[in-house]
Amino acid sequence: MNYAEILEKIYNELEPTLGEGSVANYIPELGKVTPDQLGISVCTNEGDEYTIGNAERLFSIQSISKVFSFALAYKLEKENLWKRLGREPSGNRFDSLVLLENENGIPRNPFINAGALVVTDILLQHFDNPLDEVLSFVRSISGNPNIVINRNVQESEISCADRNYALAHFMKSYNNINSNVDHLIKTYSGLCAIEMTTVDLARSFRLFSTSGCNPWTHERVLTTSQNKRINAVMMTCGLYNAVGDFAYRVGIPAKSGVGGGIVGVIPNEMSIAVWSPALDETGNSLLGIKAMEMFTTLSEKSIY
Ligand code: GLU
């Protein structure tokens, strides 16, 4: 399979449409990103890497960080985690409040904002500084010790975090948040403000394509069963309320973020990350989804 040729074909086909969609601007710093960019990076389990376009440009990973936090929290809490969280798609916007009252403050899944706030709360119970713990986890699985948090993006998100504050206070009223809410939002916004490139993301997601082993040290990080389950939750909940359409068009477990990144896994074969900051109406990268769809179509690789 010539992946370099496939990436070239995808880039050439999408290049004339670069910039279609709109960058997220509800977080002011994200609104400053130039929309007409596209980067793609693929890492096979054998260690071969292919890139094209703006694959090495840093961007805000936003909700993709929810996979890293969830993996750490799941490792710590094991099945106990599910006492405070569900694992069903929400069918609602990522920052929606509507289901929480009917469901007694238990978020539908770890990848909507409410769920990620509970996961962050769990990390705050286990660690003095969860931001350092998640950063060192991400650095270790990506093989890049230079990954950092963009403090401007973190501050920018805190300045307009009314919905996340509302979610956190509401869940606290059901005793599903234990931390101080200001501290929780600061930590959660810091996690979302981690900056990575598609190369970093594809490398780090080899953890999930190699059944839970650190791709660099080969040390086991997750049990094969935990790894299967994390991939399953990405498959069913990773693309906001467009997860069904993504399964239909792309057919792999993946997670998107409002920074325009999407990273996915073809279990036991490879990981693929795309970034294009202009989003569609569901908050997913418009060209990112098209690029992923073309990749699984042209390579004839998916989980189905
Ligand atoms: N930091 C963003 C928020 O809480 C994350 C959203 C996302 O990427 O889905 O609104």
Side-chain angles (χ1 to χ4, degrees):
M1 183 69 59
N2 192 331
Y3 294 120
E5 256 175 43
I6 291 178
L7 293 193
E8 214 173 301
K9 198 169 160 57
I10 297 171
Y11 194 88
N12 290 341
E13 189 161 325
L14 296 180
E15 198 176 16
T17 62
L18 279 178
E20 272 182 18
S22 30
V23 295
N25 54 13
Y26 75 100
I27 298 174
E29 275 301 302
L30 296 185
K32 296 180 183 166
V33 178
T34 315
D36 53 346
Q37 306 191 68
L38 172 64
I40 312 175
S41 181
V42 172
C43 288
T44 68
N45 280 12
E46 290 73 44
D48 298 323
E49 299 190 342
Y50 306 87
T51 61
I52 200 153
N54 307 116
E56 308 230 28
R57 196 153 296 175
L58 285 169
F59 63 91
S60 192
I61 69 167
Q62 292 296 313
S63 272
I64 295 170
S65 66
K66 292 172 182 165
V67 183
F68 301 128
S69 323
F70 170 53
L72 271 188
Y74 188 32
K75 231 171 111 60
L76 291 163
E77 291 279 323
K78 308 198 169 55
E79 299 311 307
N80 274 337
L81 185 90
W82 303 116
K83 291 183 182 152
R84 297 179 58 184
L85 275 173
R87 46 175 190 262
E88 292 294 344
S90 77
N92 279 291
R93 273 177 58 86
F94 61 91
D95 56 359
S96 172
L97 286 123
V98 294
L99 292 170
L100 274 181
E101 180 150 33
N102 284 340
E103 298 180 357
N104 302 318
I106 307 286
R108 272 284 170 104
N109 68 65
F111 296 155
I112 51 174
N113 285 12
L117 288 164
V118 169
V119 167
T120 308
D121 190 57
I122 290 169
L123 295 181
L124 278 163
Q125 282 175 261
H126 284 272
F127 300 121
D128 291 338
N129 192 338
L131 286 179
D132 282 352
E133 298 291 334
V134 175
L135 266 182
S136 87
F137 176 55
V138 172
R139 287 171 181 160
S140 129
I141 58 174
S142 66
N144 180 355
N146 300 318
I147 292 171
V148 291
I149 292 166
N150 180 324
R151 297 291 176 185
N152 291 335
V153 174
Q154 181 186 20
E155 289 306 320
S156 182
E157 175 159 353
I158 294 170
S159 75
C160 58
D162 296 324
R163 289 189 77 89
N164 288 334
Y165 268 101
L167 288 165
H169 280 296
F170 196 59
M171 291 189 290
K172 202 169 171 79
S173 77
Y174 287 97
N175 299 319
N176 201 16
I177 292 291
N178 301 310
S179 333
N180 167 283
V181 170
D182 285 323
H183 192 43
L184 177 72
I185 298 293
K186 190 173 175 195
T187 308
Y188 167 82
S189 304
L191 294 170
C192 291
I194 293 173
E195 284 192 329
M196 293 170 79
T197 67
T198 62
V199 174
D200 295 326
L201 277 175
R203 286 180 180 166
S204 63
F205 264 53
R206 275 181 60 206
L207 170 69
F208 306 112
S209 68
T210 56
S211 49
C213 293
N214 181 309
W216 309 96
T217 61
H218 307 292
E219 173 201 346
R220 181 155 288 289
V221 178
L222 302 162
T223 66
T224 48
S225 163
Q226 287 170 336
N227 189 65
K228 171 188 79 179
R229 289 171 174 176
I230 292 170
N231 282 340
V233 180
M234 278 198 267
M235 189 77 231
T236 52
C237 309
L239 271 280
Y240 313 129
N241 44 335
V243 75
D245 188 57
F246 188 83
Y248 178 81
R249 289 169 59 188
V250 184
I252 63 172
K255 183 73 199 87
S256 60
V258 294
I262 309 177
V263 54
V265 171
I266 303 179
N268 306 315
E269 294 210 45
M270 69 184 80
S271 51
I272 168 166
V274 299
W275 171 62
S276 185
L279 310 179
D280 64 17
E281 60 294 337
T282 63
N284 293 305
S285 171
L286 185 78
L287 292 195
I289 291 188
K290 287 187 182 167
M292 285 270 195
E293 181 177 15
M294 286 183 74
F295 183 81
T296 56
T297 306
L298 294 169
S299 64
E300 299 183 355
K301 291 202 181 282
S302 83
I303 65 163
Y304 296 113

